[in-house]
Amino acid sequence: MVVDARTGLPVVGIVGAGQLARMCQPPAIELGISLRVLAAAPDDSAALVIPDVVVGDHTDLDDLRRLAVGCDVVTWDHEHVPGSHIATLAAEGVEVRPGASALRYAQDKGDMRRRLTELGVPCPEWVDLEPADDPKGTLAEFGARVGWPLVLKASRHGYDGRGVWTIDGLDDAADLLASGTAMLAEELVPIARELAVDVARNPSGDLAAWPVVETVQREGICVEVLAPAPALGAALESDARSIARTVAQALDVAGVLAVELFETTDGRLVVNELAMRPHNSGHWTIEGSRTSQFEQHLRAVLDLPLGDTAVTAPVTVMANVLAGGGDLEPAGLDERLATALGTWPDAKIHLYDKSWRPGRKVGHVTAQGNHRDIVRERAVAAASFLAQGDPGSRS
Ligand code: ADP
């Protein structure tokens, strides 16, 4: 262990300084662990609350090395670091968790689909559209087999629904295929609802999962998380957990793994995608579980024993604060915060100190209780009010 000479306890380096790195800081403080972040700018969300900041570029190997010096372990706030850099750091003796061989399945949807299919994990029907291998012909054959419309996805760099297109036929796909971007096609899954199961694994092989949650999506963006997923049933709960366990073990994940799932209209589960870091579907665990995903991620990447994932209330609902497009925000946020704290004294408000772009996640609100409808109404109203000054606009 490197350990911080000031504390005698470990130092965790985090590449990226968004809200995920930021939310690791409270549990790091509690455990006495020091964090060090690689931030693109000194006013990044996590750089505002973590004193040890390296300003640099996550695609620059030397900047990554500057972060790694003095860290026990390096982990990720996002999946955009080139795999070759991660492998180089590991070869130079840096503990990177999760490592390049696991992270590639969260970086590339084609690699992920191939590997999950090999493992027998249920996925939508899919096909690779290699730019070099007659993608148009492959797509025509695939469309004839699974039917139109279907879904095209860029293999890399998608988020919040960017890089996902529903297309009605070959003509619709022409421009996308001509762009030369690596893509895959998937059947259009008949989705009843979207779910997620989050699990943590440490390098010793210990696993701990949280209950399966429902992620409510609007225009490709997660707007609410309902924990636990309403009326899921024991069989699907157990299937989802078993998928998460299989993936975490087979891919040798260290840290938090989020498995996004579709529940189909005929009652099956299929995997949508994977994230190997704390994830929006797990923000509810800050208040809703004995151990939050952020604390668990730190424990897991340091190969410490994992914490208890028992829930703290029958129902927890998290609603994202999504920056609107008007001229209200963020001007007046201080007043809206004061009003929200007074109106919903039981709700827990988290703001990320991020700049406001339309649709961007700039905070979240968590509410808890016994009755889902009431809890949900309060979380959504507070989040809408913080975003737009109007508690009713999203309910
Ligand atoms: P991103 O990486 O941008 O988050 P996702 O792969 O999660 O993209 O897809 C974004 C959204 O598009 C999903 O939440 C889901 O609503 C929809 N979607 C993705 N794949 C499919 C599919 N095969 N069938 C139906 N809808 C899909």
Side-chain angles (χ1 to χ4, degrees):
M1 282 218 173
V2 178
V3 306
D4 189 326
R6 300 165 304 176
T7 64
L9 290 168
V11 183
V12 176
I14 306 181
V15 176
Q19 68 265 29
L20 303 176
R22 178 185 174 103
M23 286 187 273
C24 287
Q25 179 69 329
I29 290 170
E30 287 167 6
L31 294 171
I33 291 167
S34 303
L35 300 183
R36 167 163 226 233
V37 286
L38 179 64
D43 61 354
D44 280 359
S45 179
L48 293 174
V49 300
I50 295 171
D52 192 357
V53 179
V54 176
V55 176
D57 177 352
H58 62 262
T59 63
D60 183 307
L61 186 54
D62 283 331
D63 287 350
L64 293 165
R65 287 182 175 125
R66 282 198 296 130
L67 172 81
V69 174
C71 290
D72 288 86
V73 59
V74 169
T75 187
W76 325 101
D77 163 275
H78 57 68
E79 39 271 320
H80 306 312
V81 179
S84 56
H85 287 359
I86 302 174
T88 304
L89 291 176
E92 291 173 358
V94 178
E95 287 289 359
V96 287
R97 290 181 182 152
S101 59
L103 209 60
R104 60 183 280 213
Y105 302 109
Q107 293 181 315
D108 188 300
K109 290 177 179 173
D111 287 351
M112 178 267 292
R113 285 279 176 252
R114 205 166 298 112
R115 186 77 179 103
L116 294 191
T117 305
E118 280 167 15
L119 291 170
V121 170
C123 289
E125 293 276 343
W126 71 281
V127 72
D128 232 334
L129 299 174
E130 265 300 313
D133 285 346
D134 182 21
K136 202 170 168 192
T138 310
L139 184 61
E141 256 171 52
F142 183 70
R145 182 154 67 81
V146 304
W148 303 88
L150 47 70
V151 177
L152 278 199
K153 291 186 176 183
S155 301
R156 301 178 71 87
H157 303 309
Y159 73 98
D160 283 352
R162 288 166 222 224
V164 176
W165 302 271
T166 303
I167 55 158
D168 291 324
L170 270 192
D171 290 347
D172 248 17
D175 288 350
L176 290 169
L177 293 180
S179 69
T181 311
M183 300 227 247
L184 62 154
E186 293 181 359
E187 66 171 308
L188 183 71
V189 175
I191 299 174
R193 58 177 172 169
E194 301 199 26
L195 303 170
V197 53
D198 295 348
V199 63
R201 180 173 180 271
N202 66 18
S204 298
D206 301 330
L207 282 164
W210 289 271
V212 179
V213 297
E214 178 174 342
T215 62
V216 181
Q217 312 276 329
R218 198 158 303 147
E219 288 157 24
I221 299 178
C222 174
V223 289
E224 289 164 46
V225 172
L226 315 179
L232 183 63
L236 287 188
E237 175 83 30
S238 135
D239 286 356
R241 285 179 186 238
S242 132
I243 289 170
R245 242 190 338 266
T246 302
V247 173
Q249 280 164 345
L251 273 43
D252 195 22
V253 175
V256 168
L257 166 73
V259 181
E260 296 181 11
L261 297 158
F262 299 140
E263 183 180 346
T264 64
T265 49
D266 59 354
R268 290 174 300 121
L269 294 180
V270 293
V271 172
N272 177 30
E273 66 171 343
L274 308 177
M276 292 180 196
R277 50 170 169 75
H279 187 254
N280 197 183
S281 61
H283 291 359
W284 68 276
T285 60
I286 296 175
E287 293 87 10
S289 170
R290 186 86 180 123
T291 306
S292 80
Q293 63 164 347
F294 300 101
E295 176 178 341
Q296 200 78 304
H297 189 71
L298 295 176
R299 289 178 180 231
V301 299
L302 286 165
D303 204 12
L304 293 169
L306 301 179
D308 182 357
T309 54
V311 299
T312 59
V315 174
T316 302
V317 174
M318 187 255 11
N320 280 326
V321 180
L322 298 171
D327 55 9
L328 180 66
E329 53 285 305
L333 182 59
D334 55 345
E335 283 176 21
R336 297 204 295 287
L337 174 60
T339 304
L341 290 169
T343 310
W344 296 279
D346 59 308
K348 302 310 284 185
I349 295 175
H350 301 253
L351 293 172
Y352 307 152
D353 293 336
K354 293 177 81 152
S355 59
W356 287 49
R357 281 199 308 265
R360 195 175 204 203
K361 293 166 187 161
V362 293
H364 74 265
V365 178
T366 303
Q368 297 191 282
N370 293 316
H371 302 289
R372 180 165 293 103
D373 291 349
I374 297 171
V375 171
R376 188 173 180 186
E377 194 275 325
R378 293 180 75 72
V380 170
S384 301
F385 181 81
L386 286 162
Q388 303 165 21
D390 173 2
S393 58
R394 254 178 53 197
S395 45

